[in-house]
Amino acid sequence: ASKYYDPTSGITYASITHANGVTYRIALPPNSVDSDAILQMVSPNDVAWCGLAWGGHMTQNPLSVSWSTGQGTSANTTHWQVTARCQGCTRWSSADGDTNLDSQPEALFAYACSSVAPDVRTSNTSAFNIHEQYGTWTHDLIIAKNESY
């Protein structure tokens, strides 16, 4: 991940762009007490939805899924972007044990994307099909922790 400063929000993120053109940006408070994060996804318009698995796989951890809904997103002729506060995304308990990303210097994340749009693009509760693309990466959480959170 590399450092990215968003001039619109004034927030600094740890950012990575994958080969499919989708960018994932994470911002964390320097001393978190509430297990929250800010997630920004920037995607080419030919990608209809994208997801982030906070634990590096699709089960037993929080998932964040986004698409261009026209609400809470921005879009232009080439890309759509979602910026959201993800409450409770950095700490969880599962059959795998307890996880606290706030105390780690890096984390294994997973992504999934699809070119098939959700059933109802204007609804954040819409059903959507299985992903066509997926992968994992190790994200630098030291860069993500910053005062601009």
Side-chain angles (χ1 to χ4, degrees):
S2 61
K3 190 177 281 192
Y4 172 79
Y5 175 75
D6 182 353
T8 303
S9 66
I11 296 171
T12 300
Y13 295 90
S15 177
I16 187 166
T17 301
H18 294 287
N20 64 359
V22 178
T23 299
Y24 293 88
R25 297 178 179 141
I26 309 291
L28 302 170
N31 298 303
S32 178
V33 294
D34 58 9
S35 67
D36 291 354
I38 298 174
L39 169 62
Q40 186 174 80
M41 287 189 227
V42 182
S43 174
N45 286 333
D46 63 342
V47 177
W49 67 262
C50 291
L52 169 74
W54 293 85
H57 48 84
M58 295 298 152
T59 60
Q60 303 290 318
N61 67 106
L63 303 175
S64 298
V65 180
S66 294
W67 55 84
S68 181
T69 64
Q71 300 171 351
T73 63
S74 60
N76 60 31
T77 58
T78 61
H79 289 77
W80 57 267
Q81 175 180 306
V82 173
T83 304
R85 179 178 172 208
C86 190
Q87 295 179 289
C89 289
T90 62
R91 296 180 196 162
W92 63 91
S93 296
S94 70
D96 297 334
D98 293 337
T99 301
N100 180 353
L101 299 182
D102 297 323
S103 63
Q104 298 179 20
E106 60 186 25
L108 179 67
F109 291 150
Y111 75 91
C113 299
S114 177
S115 64
V116 179
D119 292 346
V120 182
R121 292 183 68 101
T122 57
S123 172
N124 65 351
T125 61
S126 179
F128 50 91
N129 290 324
I130 193 166
H131 52 76
E132 301 160 336
Q133 307 167 26
Y134 61 92
T136 61
W137 79 97
T138 301
H139 204 80
D140 186 331
L141 298 181
I142 294 172
I143 294 173
K145 295 177 183 178
N146 61 83
E147 294 297 329
S148 65
Y149 179 88

